[in-house]
Amino acid sequence: MPSLATGIETARPQVTAELMARTGLDEGILTDLVHRFYAKVRADAILGPIFKARISDWGLHLQRMVAFWSSVALLTGRYHGAPMPAHATLPVTQAHFERWLVLFRETANSVCPPEGAALVIERAERIARSLHMAVEDFAHREGRMPMLR
């Protein structure tokens, strides 16, 4: 009997192809999105310093982020990592996540076809909420802030 994982792996290329057809997204567009977005982030007065303090190899980071967005938007399974632990300890607030989303929405709307922009923006909003909760939970456990939820 084939395992569930084997069935998922077998269906993945078809699911990815269907998403690409429906959204107009592909690896080239996602690469452009990631590179343009992080160029804005690096130049941003609010977010730039946070990233500069933590990322020394931008080539590697951009590769990881393209794989991440390929997995998130097209379900390719290219990303293998754990974003929550990497972000939970960041010194960021809701305002940082809101700024991140402003830049992401601008970039997605300028780079992606409308259906693709809608998809990646919806996913980015969900990711920002999850990461913000992880940051808040970590800060609370460390005694740096009260829980506001």
Side-chain angles (χ1 to χ4, degrees):
M1 173 178 222
S3 72
L4 180 59
T6 303
I8 291 169
E9 291 304 316
T10 304
R12 189 181 307 273
Q14 181 180 345
V15 171
T16 297
E18 289 169 3
L19 279 166
M20 290 171 75
R22 183 171 55 84
T23 63
L25 295 174
D26 60 26
E27 293 291 329
I29 290 170
L30 293 173
T31 299
D32 194 24
L33 169 67
V34 166
H35 284 254
R36 288 184 189 211
F37 170 66
Y38 280 102
K40 288 181 182 185
V41 165
R42 292 173 78 179
D44 189 73
I46 296 168
L47 299 176
I50 294 167
F51 281 82
K52 184 177 181 177
R54 286 158 183 81
I55 298 174
S56 56
D57 186 343
W58 274 96
L60 180 59
H61 184 70
L62 293 172
Q63 277 183 302
R64 278 189 196 132
M65 293 303 93
V66 170
F68 176 81
W69 282 102
S70 175
S71 291
V72 167
L74 299 175
L75 305 180
T76 61
R78 289 186 45 217
Y79 178 77
H80 303 284
M84 288 298 180
H87 290 84
T89 61
L90 292 176
V92 293
T93 65
Q94 179 65 33
H96 293 96
F97 286 102
E98 289 171 9
R99 181 67 182 150
W100 185 88
L101 284 169
V102 164
L103 296 178
F104 191 88
R105 288 181 190 115
E106 286 174 1
T107 310
N109 283 320
S110 70
V111 170
C112 303
E115 288 281 330
L119 176 71
V120 294
I121 289 168
E122 182 273 327
R123 303 271 165 91
E125 290 169 347
R126 189 179 325 152
I127 290 163
R129 281 191 303 273
S130 295
L131 291 177
H132 181 247
M133 285 190 294
V135 168
E136 273 190 347
D137 288 347
F138 180 81
H140 176 70
R141 283 193 310 275
E142 294 291 305
R144 290 185 282 133
M145 69 179 281
M147 288 298 287
L148 302 175
R149 285 186 260 147

